[in-house]
């Protein structure tokens, strides 16, 4: 009952998927994974109809049930999505993918230090969904969207697999790594010095002994560590005593920077039917600058048909941006 | 499946209650209300056993389904509660009460500007629960707990109704109003001046036209307005142009300050079996000072058997305090 | 040589004055006081000409030689003043008054806990200046100006002594005490609790043992204490353990609030020839609201010929406002 | 008279020096420069005695007369220095050098975009002082000290000219450039985007039209620009639209990073008789990390006789550190 909850016009299927590629991952995280599939109103009535599919992925520390988190006076993202498809938008199947790890996330890439989450998404989740739901199983009808690290995944996955994804939407996605990540290295060095005797191990020990996030620096420390696990097999790109950059390790990170990837994946990007990029102008990680840099790189390769928008907000509480982008993607990924 | 969700050892009943006293309330808010009742493990197996009951109430802007909100790497409050009762704690029935209003909340008091939420809680919810569940329906077996505005409600409700409640737990509850509320009046005056032409109406119009909380000042503006609705029938205790105090209106607020209420309700407080007070030393609203002042007032009337604790935290993300207090209350409200 | 220093077009006389009223003051502060008098260009050439006089007073912790403090790329206030009178402004004598105390300042009032600084200013400094310099010794040709606590002094001194001062300029002057001072009481209570065992004595001991201001909370603690010395003979208007207001002591403060003084000194205010009020809209002490409240009170008594201005700034680094107000005062205090 | 001013026990000579190397500098800044020389108590009485000399240089935006700036309840640096030499410290001549530019400073290096301030200091100021005052004109009796950019100059000048300087003291000196400078590039990009149409020219136009520093971002914008003038002949090491690093230009900066310079100037550093390094652990530019990195690099080349200290402070209001280091330098640069 409203306002405490809303009955969905569509339907949410909560599934589980047993992953082969995640089995035995380095972190010992589960290889059986939750997967939610939202079916738009009318799905059950038109038994032959096929739909575009939109994969929605999460930011760092995201867990699937957080899509139900309610903020004051607001609908949650599931309700926002349902509201969209209960309205005038053309229908789509929305797939809520999990790629959580015990370090917070996977960046949706394959890494020996976390697991093969890119492979999991592309070669296990997508076929699983296409086999069980009436999707249009062509890249021109499949999109991917996310915020923060989810925005990162939405940028790089279609570059790597244009055979699967024909559209992307990134909200404040990680990009321009020297701007969004590097300033944190000094913060990490200081925190380790001041509170953990310079040792990441001691941080993790302390972190796991108390409610997560109960110290302000927690997220900085988790974030840098998790990114190293994803981008450089766990090797940190800085000296923990000083924050001094280790250029060779940071180069491995930069190879995964969406901005730097654009020239290498120019053909893939040119093949996309829908690109949505946005970010808040007060984003704490300056991801608005990353968005701008990503756009400029794409313009360099001739991709200019893009929805680009900077809006007045920080990195937080911007889940109301999701349905805007989902509507855009659906529009462009639905056959005329 | 963990870590995305946990199966409860106990059971959660999600109910609805049609309130007579809330019908036709001034804000036009629903009079049919959700109510959750948590039954501890074993409840269904011992069909004669009766249990103490703990009423848990929410802070401003709280909606019942927010108890399921998950933070990074953390269990949510329902899971924390279940974990408690799946462990060594003596069993209790936990009642999750809703007192939401379209202004954010009710402070669990009766007010012509919001509705009779105190009456609702005491004369409708409590009998409803006692009629349907095997509670011990005596004040010495009934407690109430909450955080922030919920902590406020947990302080004042047993003062007003010692015939119903024999224990209370307040986490960072609103208290010492000149310290916790008054500094915001200047913030409100400035925000109205700078962004809303000095008009609260314009604020509300704007606020309702966009995602709630998308401006940093939103909560300050909502909070002051909501408190006026609860404590002074909607009259603001300050001049919106300058923040200047209106002492006569603020006196009406102070009459509801738990610190000031202590001498008037000394007998009620002396009758309680369990009092838990805590707050974070970095609480943004200085509710640690309110906690200290509440304790000192109670010492003045001879109530010293209290669990009092200040801990290193802000006002936010302290839901891990709930099970500590629930354990304390249960212990003291369970007959030997 | 510029930009490291500027040769003044006028002349600055650095004098000393032996005060009778400050002799033996409660704090043991010096009763021999510095006094600077700025004489405009041409003063020495026109030996009969008489000039309006402007008294400039300082904010809390101000010492006379701070008028020479240089900020990056900026002229200092002496240079700004000289620049003004080297330009088109009608000439005036500017008197830089000292009212420092070892608590930071005096608020330019008489107090048993600090000294008779109001008397010193009005009955010693003014006659001293008039005797030694060719001023026009009538209230319609004498003004007073200052910032922060200096703005406070500039508001109250002419109310108390309209026989001496006919114009005032306040930049972010202390006013609306529940807004500008009261929120600090909680800050003080917490700092004393967390760092000084709840004791102001321990604070002062620590404060005097190290470079002043080397802890962030220093100014809050000094400020509240100094104001109590000025307004309530040293009695604090709050409980240091909780920040709880002591209404009777705070009433003594409010008697000194310029906003509250307006009705009592209505005739004095009506007699003024020049009133300048400004403040920054982001003032850390919300003195923009105090400015607004002061204006509104004066409008109530029919005083509307006022220069009122809120500008985009904080409380800091606004010394560039001085010459604007000095020009305004000079214009209005110079006979036609 | 105290506390408003103090009479020095020593003597301060305020001189001017006409520089050949600064004549016609790119910024059109004056080539006649102020120079202050502090002579310790007794200097005039012992007409044959020779003294070690200590050169004190300033941070960005420093102007010579700022040494007289007074903070609340504090002596200024001149007074602190005098206090030191009026006490037990062995006597020294202290030279207060100016290297201001209209961009804020020179980093004490030669640059076509600012001027030859390194040459000015080493080949003009030092001989000028040695010719006029009874200094011991050997490197083992000459030291250099400063804070922030002055600390930077104090690190690099002896590396470049060990034939002149035998001791150095750096308080929060610029070092580890990716940590202390690079995070600002994103701030600059955003500010230019949000307020200056992406144009540094527009910023400078605006900046020069109003009181310097009246916008919070001013210093960031000035700082990045000034550093580019000093380290890379005015070329910015980042894209102003995005903050994206230009690695080739930033390499030119890194060539001037004291941390990176250590291996190249190992012999020079090994020849020093006194090295003092300190910084506040809460330094806004993380210069504590730079200090640590500088120390570690020096340990790598075998220089371990160093005073190293991190203290609890930010970057601001740490002028009380000067006399500690001056005492240390004097002790080690005075012949036994």
């Amino acid at each position: 009952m409203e306002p405490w909850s809303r009955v969905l016009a569509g339907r949410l299927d909560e599934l589980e998927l047993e992953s082969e590629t995640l089995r035995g991952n380095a972190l010992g995280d589960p290889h059986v994974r939750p997967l939610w599939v939202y079916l738009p109103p009318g799905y059950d009535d038109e038994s032959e109809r096929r739909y575009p599919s939109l994969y929605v992925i999460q930011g760092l520390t995201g867990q699937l049930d957080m899509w139900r988190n309610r903020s004051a006076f607001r609908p949650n993202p599931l309700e926002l999505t349902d509201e969209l498809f209960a309205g005038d938008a053309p229908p789509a199947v929305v797939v809520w993918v999990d790629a959580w790890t015990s370090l917070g996330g996977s960046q949706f890439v394959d890494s020996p230090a976390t697991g093969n989450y890119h492979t999991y998404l592309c070669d296990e989740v997508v076929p699983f969904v296409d086999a069980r739901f009436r999707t249009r199983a062509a890249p021109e009808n499949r999109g991917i969207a996310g915020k923060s690290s989810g925005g990162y995944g939405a940028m790089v996955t279609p570059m790597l697999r244009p055979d699967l994804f024909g559209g992307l939407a990134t909200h404040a996605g990680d990009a321009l790594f020297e701007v969004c990540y590097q300033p944190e290295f000094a913060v990490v060095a200081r925190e380790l010095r001041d509170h953990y005797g310079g040792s990441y191990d001691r941080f993790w020990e302390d972190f796991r002994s108390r409610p997560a996030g109960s110290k302000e620096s927690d997220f900085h420390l988790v974030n840098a560590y998790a990114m190293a696990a994803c981008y450089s097999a766990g090797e940190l790109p800085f000296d923990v005593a000083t924050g001094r950059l280790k250029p060779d390790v940071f180069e491995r990170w930069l190879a995964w920077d969406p901005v730097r990837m654009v020239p290498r994946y120019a053909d893939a990007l040119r093949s996309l039917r829908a690109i949505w990029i946005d970010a808040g102008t007060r984003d704490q990680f300056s991801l608005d600058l990353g968005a701008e840099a990503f756009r400029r790189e794409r313009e360099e390769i001739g991709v200019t048909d893009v929805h680009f928008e900077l809006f007045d907000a920080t990195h937080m509480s911007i889940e109301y941006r999701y349905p805007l982008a989902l509507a855009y993607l659906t529009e462009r990924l639905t056959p005329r």
Side-chain angles (χ1 to χ4, degrees), chain A residues 213-262:
Chain A
S214 54
K215 295 185 181 170
E216 280 180 39
S217 57
D218 281 355
F219 182 71
H220 299 290
L221 290 158
V222 167
N223 194 61
Y225 197 91
M227 293 307 141
C230 297
Y231 299 140
S232 50
E235 203 173 345
L236 291 168
F238 58 97
D239 175 5
V240 292
T242 61
R244 182 174 180 171
L245 201 70
K246 294 185 175 173
D248 52 332
V249 186
F250 197 58
E251 276 302 316
R252 294 169 65 187
W253 285 39
L254 290 179
W256 283 107
D257 182 349
V259 176
R260 270 78 181 190
M261 288 171 74
V262 167

Side-chain angles (χ1 to χ4, degrees), chain A residues 43-256:
Chain A
Y43 182 90
D44 294 325
D45 306 326
E46 304 181 70
S47 62
E48 299 302 312
R49 187 169 177 181
R50 294 198 161 265
Y51 299 85
S53 58
L54 305 176
Y55 288 73
V56 182
I57 53 181
Q58 296 185 296
L60 199 73
T61 74
Q63 294 179 222
L64 213 54
D65 68 343
M66 289 182 183
W67 292 117
R68 287 205 176 88
N69 280 9
R70 181 174 307 292
S71 297
F73 299 110
R74 289 195 183 191
N76 65 37
L78 288 178
E79 293 165 348
L80 285 169
T81 301
D82 185 61
E83 206 172 82
L84 171 68
F85 292 110
D88 291 338
V93 167
V94 183
V95 184
W96 312 80
V97 179
D98 164 71
W100 182 87
T101 73
S102 49
L103 295 176
S106 68
Q107 298 300 94
F108 311 91
V109 301
D110 290 349
S111 165
T114 55
N116 295 329
Y117 288 87
H118 172 69
T119 299
Y120 169 65
L121 169 56
C122 293
D123 294 336
E124 297 190 319
V125 174
V126 169
F128 179 93
V129 169
D130 286 342
R132 277 160 191 76
F133 299 93
R134 297 194 312 277
T135 55
R136 293 183 174 273
E140 57 266 33
N141 309 118
R142 194 185 287 112
I144 185 166
K147 181 208 145 188
S148 196
S149 287
Y152 173 80
M155 283 185 277
V156 302
T157 308
M159 283 199 263
L160 298 169
R161 295 296 300 269
D163 59 311
L164 289 182
F165 292 99
L168 73 87
T170 167
H171 308 291
D174 298 11
L176 202 57
F177 286 3
E178 74 270 43
V179 163
C180 71
Y181 295 141
Q182 205 182 323
E184 306 243 317
F185 300 163
V187 176
V188 168
R190 274 181 158 182
E191 282 295 322
L192 292 181
R193 177 193 68 193
D194 291 347
H195 300 297
Y196 302 104
S199 157
Y200 241 121
D201 286 347
R202 278 213 225 162
F203 161 70
W204 283 111
E205 194 180 341
D206 177 65
F207 178 77
R208 291 186 174 125
S209 72
R210 53 179 173 80
S214 54
K215 295 185 181 170
E216 280 180 39
S217 57
D218 281 355
F219 182 71
H220 299 290
L221 290 158
V222 167
N223 194 61
Y225 197 91
M227 293 307 141
C230 297
Y231 299 140
S232 50
E235 203 173 345
L236 291 168
F238 58 97
D239 175 5
V240 292
T242 61
R244 182 174 180 171
L245 201 70
K246 294 185 175 173
D248 52 332
V249 186
F250 197 58
E251 276 302 316
R252 294 169 65 187
W253 285 39
L254 290 179
W256 283 107

Side-chain angles (χ1 to χ4, degrees), chain A residues 226-298:
Chain A
M227 293 307 141
C230 297
Y231 299 140
S232 50
E235 203 173 345
L236 291 168
F238 58 97
D239 175 5
V240 292
T242 61
R244 182 174 180 171
L245 201 70
K246 294 185 175 173
D248 52 332
V249 186
F250 197 58
E251 276 302 316
R252 294 169 65 187
W253 285 39
L254 290 179
W256 283 107
D257 182 349
V259 176
R260 270 78 181 190
M261 288 171 74
V262 167
R264 275 185 283 144
Y265 295 93
D267 286 343
L269 284 164
R270 285 191 205 104
S271 75
L272 300 185
R273 304 206 157 193
I275 301 182
W276 173 289
I277 307 167
D278 68 19
T281 53
R282 295 178 283 125
D283 188 287
Q284 286 86 339
F285 307 97
S286 298
L287 293 169
D288 49 330
L289 296 176
E292 180 69 35
F294 187 53
R295 170 168 78 161
R296 287 174 176 244
E297 278 297 305
R298 283 202 332 279

